Amino acid sequence: MGNHNNQVSLNEEKSYFDGGYFAYIGYSILVGFVSMITLGIAFPWMFCLMQKWQAKHTVICGKRMYFDGTGIQLIGRYILWWFLTVITFGIYGFWLVVSMKKWIAKHTHFEGEEDNNSFFDGGVGGFIGNSILSGLVSAVPIVGLAWGKIIMLNWEINHTVIDSRRLVFTGKVGNLFGKYFLWGFLSIITFGIFGLFVPVKYMRWETERTIDNEHTTEA
């Protein structure tokens, strides 16, 4: 009985993503179609729809997430950020990426938590520096793409705090490279069909390797 209770406790603290393949494909088609026919005007609402779906299916160390951002809240920022990007000939695009990450984090929480102190504390300098480093190592033969992705994931996830719990990414280059190789091979031999399922498989891989700082080895 004691071993069974311990196993249940361990399972309850796992991180995982339980969104379905066909649900993701359906939402992606809907988001793309509605955004296209509205010439981008509906994108903030479609973006929030996708974020809500993704958060609802994300569990970190046994705690399921939710996203409470809305299109009405995002539309003004969306217009301003793109206006600034256009008039600065794309330079503000670096700030746009970081601002979006901050907005997403602010509206992402754990179910049942009263502390809603969520934020992203990565800066533009860090984003630019890690992007340059990621781009450079991505040119390394064989493992470059996986290595570059790990660099960006470490920067992004480790700067994310959800309800006062800082997230920690534990993924390794070798493991992601193995997944990239397998997914690429299966996509080729299925003439691209398997590629439709890769985004969800990747979200599962990333989520399983994301914990909060209360569950690190030091804690």
Side-chain angles (χ1 to χ4, degrees):
M1 180 64 72
N3 290 337
H4 173 73
N5 289 336
N6 288 338
Q7 187 64 43
V8 171
S9 178
L10 288 172
N11 287 337
E12 288 177 347
E13 293 186 351
K14 285 185 177 180
S15 296
Y16 57 90
F17 179 80
D18 57 13
Y21 298 113
F22 294 106
Y24 173 80
I25 294 172
Y27 272 98
S28 297
I29 293 173
L30 176 64
V31 168
F33 177 72
V34 174
S35 298
M36 180 182 66
I37 64 174
T38 61
L39 302 180
I41 295 174
F43 175 77
W45 284 266
M46 294 296 97
F47 177 83
C48 290
L49 178 68
M50 190 61 124
Q51 283 296 132
K52 288 178 186 293
W53 177 81
Q54 185 171 339
K56 181 177 68 173
H57 290 287
T58 300
V59 176
I60 302 297
C61 295
K63 286 188 171 290
R64 191 170 295 275
M65 290 180 160
Y66 72 92
F67 179 77
D68 63 9
T70 66
I72 289 292
Q73 295 169 333
L74 180 59
I75 183 65
R77 293 175 173 82
Y78 173 72
I79 294 173
L80 174 62
W81 294 339
W82 278 108
F83 173 74
L84 292 174
T85 300
V86 171
I87 65 173
T88 60
F89 301 100
I91 296 175
Y92 188 80
F94 296 114
W95 279 262
L96 185 155
V97 172
V98 174
S99 294
M100 181 63 84
K101 293 183 185 300
K102 289 179 181 291
W103 188 82
I104 293 171
K106 178 182 177 181
H107 291 282
T108 304
H109 306 286
F110 289 119
E111 290 182 350
E113 289 284 344
E114 295 183 1
D115 181 357
N116 289 333
N117 183 31
S118 296
F119 58 89
F120 178 81
D121 57 12
V124 174
F127 172 68
I128 294 175
N130 280 279
S131 295
I132 292 174
L133 179 59
S134 175
L136 291 174
V137 303
S138 293
V140 175
I142 303 177
V143 299
L145 291 177
W147 189 4
K149 185 63 176 180
I150 291 293
I151 287 173
M152 294 308 298
L153 285 173
N154 275 317
W155 174 78
E156 180 177 350
I157 294 176
N158 294 348
H159 280 288
T160 301
V161 176
I162 304 298
D163 296 341
S164 295
R165 297 187 181 197
R166 186 172 294 276
L167 303 186
V168 179
F169 181 66
T170 64
K172 304 300 181 184
V173 174
N175 185 253
L176 181 57
F177 168 72
K179 294 295 184 182
Y180 275 0
F181 182 84
L182 175 63
W183 296 338
F185 173 73
L186 291 175
S187 296
I188 291 172
I189 65 174
T190 59
F191 302 100
I193 295 175
F194 186 82
L196 297 173
F197 304 101
V198 169
V200 171
K201 287 187 173 295
Y202 172 78
M203 283 187 274
R204 290 179 176 177
W205 181 88
E206 180 183 320
T207 305
E208 288 169 3
R209 288 155 183 80
T210 301
I211 59 177
D212 64 53
N213 59 0
E214 293 186 2
H215 290 78
T216 58
T217 301
E218 291 77 12

